[in-house]
Amino acid sequence: VSISEKVLAGVLKQPEAAVVAGLKQLAQQGMVEYAPKKETPQLFFLYHRVPENELVLDQKLYNERQKQYTWRVAQMAQYATNASACRSVVLRRYFADTSEIQPCGICDVCLSKHKIPPLTTQQLEEMATRALALAAQPVVPAQLQRHLACSAAQLDQLLQYLLDEEKITYSHAGKVVLQKK
């Protein structure tokens, strides 16, 4: 077979010298016969391909491997589209882990189960009124969170809303202060 080291180097994204060295190494290991570039480089395979009429496939084994492949692809698709089972649990079951498997609590699926929905406009307005009353004196955000009995994500949403509406600002000490008009 005629080959081009330059084309192989381009396909492999390697320098041409590295491709030549690799071909020489394959020749030393007896895997191919390599005749370096004279006019056109040549590559000789030491073994012929098995003719089609002599190729014997175990149909039972082939069908089993095809079935396993189909199962693996289906599992991969399920993993990618799954929105209810912990990713860690799915992976461990895939690899036949027989131990008691607990959800990890840190994958996207686990986190979405514990995610608190954003505040509605009405809830936001009610909390803003209470927060502004509490912020009559400078207050740290943690105190606001305790008094409002809300999650950190809800507090962040509330504070961002109040900042956007220019009703509060932060002091240099990191306290929430009413915006002066």
Side-chain angles (χ1 to χ4, degrees):
V1 175
S2 293
I3 62 166
S4 168
E5 290 103 340
K6 189 173 188 173
V7 170
L8 284 173
V11 170
L12 297 172
K13 295 182 174 110
Q14 296 286 325
E16 191 174 337
V19 171
V20 170
L23 289 169
K24 286 181 180 178
Q25 187 176 12
L26 287 173
Q28 284 177 342
Q29 293 174 354
M31 299 174 92
V32 296
E33 284 184 24
Y34 172 63
K37 198 187 294 187
K38 291 180 186 152
E39 288 179 22
T40 59
Q42 298 281 315
L43 188 65
F44 302 96
F45 291 96
L46 299 178
Y47 303 102
H48 294 289
R49 290 184 182 179
V50 176
E52 185 179 340
N53 60 349
E54 294 179 18
L55 185 63
V56 179
L57 291 176
D58 181 350
Q59 193 63 41
K60 186 177 177 183
L61 179 61
Y62 176 79
N63 290 340
E64 182 62 31
R65 286 189 178 171
Q66 190 174 27
K67 183 179 166 185
Q68 288 174 349
Y69 175 77
T70 304
W71 180 81
R72 287 195 313 269
V73 169
Q75 292 298 309
M76 188 174 18
Q78 179 193 8
Y79 178 83
T81 59
N82 167 40
S84 60
C86 170
R87 303 257 184 226
S88 180
V89 170
V90 172
L91 281 173
R92 291 177 65 185
R93 284 192 182 135
Y94 175 83
F95 289 108
D97 186 349
T98 57
S99 64
E100 186 177 329
I101 304 170
Q102 296 295 323
C104 67
I106 58 173
C107 70
D108 61 323
V109 175
C110 289
L111 291 176
S112 70
K113 288 179 181 177
H114 301 294
K115 189 174 183 180
I116 296 170
L119 297 168
T120 64
T121 306
Q122 182 181 354
Q123 290 172 321
L124 197 57
E125 288 293 334
E126 290 171 5
M127 284 181 71
T129 303
R130 293 187 347 214
L132 291 172
L134 291 168
Q137 298 296 319
V139 61
V140 293
Q143 288 175 317
L144 274 178
Q145 184 178 0
R146 279 194 305 276
H147 287 305
L148 297 173
C150 63
S151 70
Q154 290 173 329
L155 180 67
D156 289 343
Q157 184 183 357
L158 172 66
L159 293 176
Q160 187 61 52
Y161 168 75
L162 292 172
L163 285 168
D164 292 344
E165 294 294 318
E166 297 180 351
K167 294 184 179 182
I168 63 165
T169 187
Y170 283 100
S171 70
H172 293 294
K175 293 185 176 185
V176 175
V177 180
L178 289 176
Q179 183 83 14
K180 301 209 192 263
K181 295 185 182 188

